[in-house]
């Protein structure tokens, strides 16, 4: 669905300040930590990919829980580090993470239907999405075994197109933890503009806020850390003080 004119107008009004802040933000540095069993873990601030450095060599860090010398731990999932408070503090003010799963449609479908926290892991849509993701991994393995075939681990395969279509199908709804209890930055804007029990659901501000939240969710599906601040999430934070998104007055009359 195309954004309404109100959404376009409010986003344009917020875009210039956002770009200025982006331009002034300092570049984030690679995060490092010493592993208790030797070597160091390094995490890229853009992709959140975790690597292990030891003896002059660098290789991907295996998925699991890794203990540091200071007693803290770092969790790695799908080769990506789950940001710790120390990492977040170190990267504060940096640009949003790169869309690591931008073209990995089946990964996005799993995250959408199962929830970032796997709250809907037993739902039919989640199970179907996981089956499609398994099919993708099988297709990649089969291609890699072909003679003289050099296969990129993230290259598109036929089932990825099925997942891309499924992202917009009603049979694959978003997990409730993304829509009603999600921790996106735009959720507060929707609550403010739409009001308690959706008292202002028919207002232009509520419609625009909901569209912004939908855009933010799409961005969160594509990045490694869904709790991180996305471009749209940043605009929603700024919009909280915009007169167009004034708190819903309808709730007071209920």
């Amino acid at each position: 669905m195309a954004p309404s004119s109100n959404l376009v107008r409010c986003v344009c009004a917020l875009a210039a300040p956002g770009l200025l802040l982006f331009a002034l933000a300092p570049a984030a540095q690679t995060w490092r930590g010493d592993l208790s069993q030797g070597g160091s873990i390094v995490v890229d601030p853009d992709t959140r990919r975790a690597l292990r450095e030891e003896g002059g060599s660098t290789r991907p860090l295996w998925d699991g829980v890794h203990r540091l010398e200071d007693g803290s731990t770092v969790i790695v999932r799908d080769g990506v580090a789950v940001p710790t408070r120390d990492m977040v503090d170190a990267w504060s003010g940096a640009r949003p993470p790169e869309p690591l799963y931008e073209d990995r449609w089946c990964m996005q479908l799993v995250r959408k239907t199962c929830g970032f926290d796997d709250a809907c892991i037993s739902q039919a849509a989640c199970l179907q999405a996981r089956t499609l993701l398994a099919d993708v991994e099988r297709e990649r393995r089969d291609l890699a075994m072909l003679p003289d075939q050099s296969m990129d681990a993230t290259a598109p395969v036929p089932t990825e197109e099925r997942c891309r279509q499924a992202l917009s199908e009603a049979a694959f709804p978003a997990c409730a933890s993304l829509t009603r209890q999600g921790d996106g930055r735009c959720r507060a804007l929707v609550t403010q503009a739409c009001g308690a029990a959706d008292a202002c659901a028919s207002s232009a501000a509520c419609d625009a806020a909901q569209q912004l939240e939908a855009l933010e969710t799409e961005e969160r599906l594509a990045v490694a850390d869904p709790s991180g601040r996305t471009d749209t999430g940043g605009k929603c934070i700024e919009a909280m003080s915009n007169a167009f998104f004034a708190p819903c007055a309808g709730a007071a009359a209920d």
Side-chain angles (χ1 to χ4, degrees):
M1 180 173 63
S4 67
S5 58
N6 285 324
L7 176 61
V8 173
R9 183 167 60 251
C10 73
V11 169
C12 288
L14 293 168
L19 290 175
L20 178 61
L21 291 174
F22 172 86
L24 294 178
Q29 300 297 312
T30 298
W31 183 89
R32 292 176 175 274
D34 294 327
L35 294 164
S36 61
Q37 296 182 343
S40 301
I41 176 176
V42 295
V43 181
D44 184 272
D46 295 328
T47 66
R48 306 303 199 250
R49 288 191 178 279
L51 301 173
R52 179 171 183 169
E53 288 186 352
E54 186 174 18
S57 64
T58 302
R59 63 180 184 276
L61 198 62
W62 48 267
D63 288 0
V65 180
H66 302 269
R67 185 170 296 280
L68 304 181
E69 284 188 345
D70 63 5
S72 61
T73 59
V74 173
I75 299 174
V76 177
R77 296 174 182 166
D78 299 321
V80 174
V82 177
T84 63
R85 172 53 55 187
D86 189 36
M87 293 179 194
V88 172
D89 291 341
W91 295 332
S92 179
R95 63 181 182 274
E98 294 294 328
L100 184 64
Y101 304 128
E102 185 172 23
D103 298 319
R104 297 180 64 182
W105 307 114
C106 289
M107 179 64 77
Q108 288 193 36
L109 187 65
V110 167
R111 302 176 98 202
K112 174 187 177 182
T113 56
C114 302
F116 297 128
D117 53 359
D118 285 336
C120 298
I121 195 170
S122 62
Q123 299 298 313
C126 173
L127 296 175
Q128 292 178 41
R130 287 183 177 274
T131 297
L132 289 171
L133 180 60
D135 288 343
V136 165
E137 294 172 348
R138 175 182 51 77
E139 290 172 3
R140 286 180 178 149
R141 287 196 301 270
D142 291 346
L143 283 173
M145 294 176 65
L146 293 176
D148 302 322
Q149 179 72 35
S150 177
M151 184 62 185
D152 182 353
T154 61
V157 290
T159 302
E160 285 284 7
E161 176 60 24
R162 172 69 188 104
C163 289
R164 187 186 70 79
Q165 297 173 358
L167 280 167
S168 59
E169 294 176 1
F172 292 89
C175 177
S177 66
L178 272 67
T179 56
R180 292 196 297 272
Q181 300 152 351
D183 58 356
R185 274 60 173 178
C186 292
R187 171 62 3 202
L189 184 66
V190 170
T191 300
Q192 173 175 297
C194 299
D198 290 332
C200 296
S202 61
S203 68
C206 177
D207 178 64
Q210 290 174 332
Q211 290 187 53
L212 283 169
E213 184 178 37
L215 290 174
E216 181 194 30
T217 298
E218 290 181 9
E219 293 174 5
R220 296 174 69 204
L221 290 173
V223 298
D225 176 20
S227 65
R229 174 170 166 171
T230 64
D231 286 340
T232 302
K235 289 182 175 62
C236 283
I237 293 175
E238 297 172 8
M240 290 291 291
S241 58
N242 189 303
F244 179 79
F245 294 101
C248 170
D254 292 344

